[in-house]
Amino acid sequence: MGDLIEFLKQREVSEEIIQTVENEKIDASVISLMTDEELKTYLPSYGDRLAVFGFCRRRGSSRNEPINLDDTLIFSPHPGPSSERVRRVVVVHRGQIMSELISHFSDKDLEDVDIKIQFVLPDGTREMAHDDGGVVRDCLSEFWKEFYDQCTTGNFCKVPFLRHDFGQQEWESVGRIIAFGWVREKYLPVKIAPAILEQAAFGYVKSDIVEDFLKFMPESERTVLEAWRSDFSIMDQEELIDILDNHSCRKIPTAYNATEVLLELAHKTLVQEPAYVIEQWARTLSTAWEIICDLSSLFETLQPNVRKVLKCLTFPETMTAHQKLIQKYLTTYVKNAEKEHLCLFLRFCTGSDLHLGRNIIIGFNELKGFQRRPVAHTCGCVLELSINYDNYPDFRSEMNSRRGAVFDGIPAHLRRIGRHQWEHLGS
């Protein structure tokens, strides 16, 4: 108890909170059994909760105390080029991935170990999945989805914003997650403005910072600013001035200063305002990304499109007439998918919502009736399809329900069920 109290004092937690923790006998062993939501009752600050989870994890491992699988790390020897190489299984709960992953990666030692990830479902059971890459990709996809929603602003290009409950440790941890995703699975947060990651990794911006800024803007405002660059005479100048005023611009727009003003606003928005975040990310990215030359081109490569996804589909060399019909249904489905649906399809099949260049191996089965459904195995990037579809609309309907079931279309009480166990639920 004393170590925890001293740690809370170092975090400058209020005396009232510390007294409550002491009175309720909330020590490290109790915290290891608590969820983030339960601990929030005692520690309202998100940053404090992450720090405490990390403190309890490190304390338990250093003292060889029993480790709770639900909230901490498992350490075991792992064969490798070095006898000191360690394997760590990072355990995260569905629905709490962002907070827990940030807490785990607050440990700098994770940079030198082999990391495996284990999901725990809301009912406390572990997902039946072997982490051979698919689970990591799934975890990264879910982490960045939550991060974009909770920690960024912007439209197509996202910009991190400062939160009162995110300090140096939390932002450094996010930087380590970026580096881990790249080293492990070549996964990058492609919605973060390239200019921000370049500034963190290289110390300067390589990409077109104005283009990044325009993609950050709402579409209605972006259209106005692009029109200003092309033909000032047809502009609704009052609307343009309102937009610039929203960004604290102190210059009057003319037919000749569009490039200058947009460059200044872009630098302010993408470099100056997130400077603290960039500084923390640079601690990791400046050394982890030495081999990356053109981040914008790499981002474009990772963005899925119909052509890329179709090229990934790998069918058996020899197929029956029924199998060829299902092949036609699947290619038609992909060709008609919007970008958002392509991302969901890739995540269903590979664990990643990005195009990582992995082939999707198509297999066939004879499931029918209530048992019929698409089944994905993300570790091997395998998609199993039934040959018992009578028409394309039925096939499309089940693909949408199966894909949406894991991500965006299931009832609230099932929304966090893992992809790897979905096939066990039946139809």
Side-chain angles (χ1 to χ4, degrees):
M1 175 70 81
D3 292 344
L4 176 62
I5 297 302
E6 185 61 32
F7 178 79
L8 293 176
K9 289 180 179 179
Q10 292 175 3
R11 291 282 302 180
E12 297 182 351
V13 175
S14 70
E15 288 295 332
E16 181 181 358
I17 291 177
I18 292 176
Q19 189 62 51
T20 300
V21 169
E22 286 186 308
N23 293 341
E24 296 289 336
K25 297 183 179 180
I26 307 297
D27 59 15
S29 62
V30 173
I31 289 174
S32 68
L33 301 174
M34 299 173 71
T35 66
D36 180 69
E37 194 64 29
E38 291 170 337
L39 186 58
K40 187 177 182 179
T41 304
Y42 302 95
L43 293 173
S45 170
Y46 183 69
D48 286 339
R49 296 196 301 277
L50 290 180
V52 166
F53 277 132
F55 169 81
C56 294
R57 184 183 70 246
R58 293 190 296 273
R59 180 177 178 274
S61 62
S62 64
R63 295 176 56 178
N64 295 318
E65 295 177 351
I67 297 176
N68 177 19
L69 179 64
D70 289 346
D71 295 294
T72 55
L73 299 177
I74 302 171
F75 299 79
S76 63
H78 182 73
S82 170
S83 59
E84 297 181 357
R85 186 162 178 79
V86 174
R87 174 187 177 186
R88 297 194 185 184
V89 179
V90 175
V91 181
V92 292
H93 294 69
R94 290 282 181 183
Q96 302 182 42
I97 289 177
M98 190 181 85
S99 61
E100 292 184 345
L101 208 61
I102 289 176
S103 177
H104 286 310
F105 276 85
S106 65
D107 184 354
K108 297 180 181 180
D109 293 338
L110 281 182
E111 299 174 5
D112 303 318
V113 299
D114 179 27
I115 297 174
K116 300 293 182 182
I117 290 179
Q118 173 73 67
F119 281 124
V120 177
L121 297 175
D123 63 1
T125 60
R126 304 181 207 174
E127 282 194 13
M128 293 180 290
H130 174 67
D131 184 3
D132 197 19
V135 180
V136 170
R137 295 190 293 271
D138 186 14
C139 185
L140 290 170
S141 298
E142 186 66 21
F143 172 86
W144 287 110
K145 180 179 182 297
E146 293 185 30
F147 184 85
Y148 296 144
D149 289 342
Q150 299 181 34
C151 301
T152 67
T153 59
N155 191 12
F156 185 79
C157 277
K158 306 289 187 180
V159 175
F161 72 93
L162 294 180
R163 296 172 45 139
H164 70 88
D165 52 357
F166 264 50
Q168 178 179 343
Q169 180 174 311
E170 288 75 33
W171 287 117
E172 280 189 11
S173 183
V174 174
R176 295 189 192 105
I177 293 171
I178 297 174
F180 166 73
W182 168 250
V183 172
R184 176 67 183 270
E185 293 293 333
K186 295 300 181 282
Y187 188 103
L188 291 175
V190 297
K191 290 188 178 181
I192 300 294
I196 292 176
L197 295 177
E198 289 171 345
Q199 184 68 31
F202 314 125
Y204 61 95
V205 176
K206 294 184 176 184
S207 59
D208 189 332
I209 194 171
V210 173
E211 287 302 316
D212 286 357
F213 174 68
L214 292 175
K215 292 176 182 177
F216 163 82
M217 301 287 284
E219 184 176 357
S220 58
E221 296 185 3
R222 180 169 68 246
T223 301
V224 174
L225 295 178
E226 289 175 340
W228 177 27
R229 292 199 299 179
S230 59
D231 191 348
F232 181 75
S233 62
I234 63 172
M235 287 294 308
D236 182 336
Q237 296 187 27
E238 184 175 345
E239 182 180 13
L240 175 60
I241 291 174
D242 285 342
I243 294 173
L244 296 179
D245 185 59
N246 289 336
H247 290 270
S248 303
C249 178
R250 298 178 175 274
K251 293 184 177 179
I252 300 297
T254 68
Y256 309 104
N257 66 354
T259 299
E260 174 190 355
V261 172
L262 289 177
L263 183 60
E264 293 172 351
L265 293 179
H267 193 272
K268 169 179 171 289
T269 302
L270 302 181
V271 177
Q272 297 175 34
E273 291 180 348
Y276 181 77
V277 176
I278 291 173
E279 179 184 355
Q280 309 317 315
W281 288 0
R283 299 175 188 273
T284 301
L285 302 187
S286 59
T287 56
W289 282 5
E290 293 177 350
I291 63 173
I292 296 180
C293 297
D294 191 343
L295 199 59
S296 294
S297 296
L298 183 56
F299 273 24
E300 184 61 32
T301 301
L302 293 174
Q303 297 284 357
N305 60 36
V306 170
R307 180 183 59 81
K308 293 176 184 177
V309 175
L310 287 176
K311 192 175 180 180
C312 288
L313 302 179
T314 303
F315 295 90
E317 292 185 5
T318 304
M319 291 187 289
T320 66
H322 283 95
Q323 291 172 344
K324 289 181 180 179
L325 181 62
I326 302 304
Q327 177 189 29
K328 180 180 178 181
Y329 288 168
L330 181 60
T331 55
T332 300
Y333 178 82
V334 171
K335 288 178 181 178
N336 286 278
E338 298 178 356
K339 182 177 179 181
E340 179 183 0
H341 293 161
L342 285 176
C343 292
L344 294 177
F345 174 77
L346 283 176
R347 188 172 171 195
F348 180 68
C349 298
T350 70
S352 170
D353 53 2
L354 303 181
H355 173 257
L356 301 181
R358 296 179 176 274
N359 289 332
I360 300 173
I361 302 171
I362 309 300
F364 298 97
N365 58 52
E366 297 186 5
L367 296 177
K368 60 178 63 176
F370 288 112
Q371 293 296 316
R372 187 183 68 185
R373 77 279 186 195
V375 178
H377 306 277
T378 59
C379 293
C381 301
V382 176
L383 175 63
E384 294 183 15
L385 301 171
S386 171
I387 61 173
N388 294 308
Y389 289 98
D390 296 326
N391 53 67
Y392 173 70
D394 282 351
F395 175 85
R396 178 185 60 198
S397 176
E398 289 198 7
M399 282 297 298
N400 286 339
S401 65
R402 216 38 73 171
R403 179 209 69 207
V406 182
F407 305 113
D408 59 355
I410 61 175
H413 69 288
L414 293 178
R415 191 165 295 137
R416 290 174 182 170
I417 286 180
R419 175 187 308 93
H420 308 283
Q421 282 189 244
W422 183 256
E423 63 229 43
H424 300 287
L425 298 178
S427 294

